[in-house]
Amino acid sequence: MLSQVNFRNLLLIVFLGLFLIFNLTCDQKDRFTGIYLIKGEELSENPDTYIELKENGLGVWRVLDDEVSFRWDIRDNKLRLHIKSGGVVIGKIHDDTLEIAMPGPKIMYFKKKK
């Protein structure tokens, strides 16, 4: 049977671990939130194509007048876009640039808007 001191220490360690995990995952998401413009459209005021990553883990991918909403998360420095239709698009993160492999040989690059 655990004494009260050992139980208290164990409980403190568990809460500290959960607190650290929560803070690390939140900080990581906050770092990537924002609007990412397709490379080459950085100077345009109304870009035709962009990805918006919101703080709550939701996002929007807009191409011309079409919009696709998704949920997003980061794992192993890879961005995963969970599309509502059931697909998952995986991209790589390089500093402030997203590299997203489209079906086929096409790769799209998006740079974070400042």
Side-chain angles (χ1 to χ4, degrees), residues 33-46:
T33 59
I35 295 176
Y36 291 81
L37 304 175
I38 194 162
K39 282 219 172 176
E41 290 192 4
E42 289 93 355
L43 301 176
S44 173
E45 291 209 11
N46 296 318

Side-chain angles (χ1 to χ4, degrees), residues 2 4-5 9 16 22 29-30 35-36 49 51 54 66 74 78 84 110 112:
L2 291 174
Q4 277 188 314
V5 174
N9 288 342
L16 182 61
F22 177 75
K29 267 197 169 184
D30 290 345
I35 295 176
Y36 291 81
T49 304
I51 294 175
K54 300 177 184 178
D66 292 328
I74 306 286
K78 291 186 180 176
K84 285 188 176 186
F110 293 83
K112 189 169 186 177

Side-chain angles (χ1 to χ4, degrees), residues 16 21 24 27 32 40 50 52 55 61-62 65-66 80 83 85 92 103-104 111:
L16 182 61
I21 289 171
L24 290 175
D27 290 342
F32 297 112
Y50 66 87
E52 181 178 4
E55 290 179 3
W61 188 331
R62 184 177 190 107
D65 292 330
D66 292 328
R80 287 176 168 70
I83 310 299
S85 62
K92 295 178 186 174
K111 186 166 177 65

Side-chain angles (χ1 to χ4, degrees), residues 9-109:
N9 288 342
L10 179 64
L11 198 58
L12 180 65
I13 290 171
V14 168
F15 282 123
L16 182 61
L18 291 173
F19 177 77
L20 288 174
I21 289 171
F22 177 75
N23 280 333
L24 290 175
T25 56
C26 288
D27 290 342
Q28 187 178 23
K29 267 197 169 184
D30 290 345
R31 189 173 65 161
F32 297 112
T33 59
I35 295 176
Y36 291 81
L37 304 175
I38 194 162
K39 282 219 172 176
E41 290 192 4
E42 289 93 355
L43 301 176
S44 173
E45 291 209 11
N46 296 318
D48 291 333
T49 304
Y50 66 87
I51 294 175
E52 181 178 4
L53 302 179
K54 300 177 184 178
E55 290 179 3
N56 57 4
L58 299 177
V60 174
W61 188 331
R62 184 177 190 107
V63 178
L64 297 174
D65 292 330
D66 292 328
E67 210 173 76
V68 175
S69 57
F70 56 83
R71 286 180 303 106
W72 67 278
D73 60 37
I74 306 286
R75 280 189 238 150
D76 302 325
N77 208 32
K78 291 186 180 176
L79 173 68
R80 287 176 168 70
L81 307 178
H82 303 272
I83 310 299
K84 285 188 176 186
S85 62
V88 178
V89 175
I90 297 177
K92 295 178 186 174
I93 301 170
H94 305 284
D95 296 320
D96 63 347
T97 303
L98 303 179
E99 175 185 323
I100 298 180
M102 301 304 288
K106 186 174 183 178
I107 296 177
M108 298 179 78
Y109 295 92

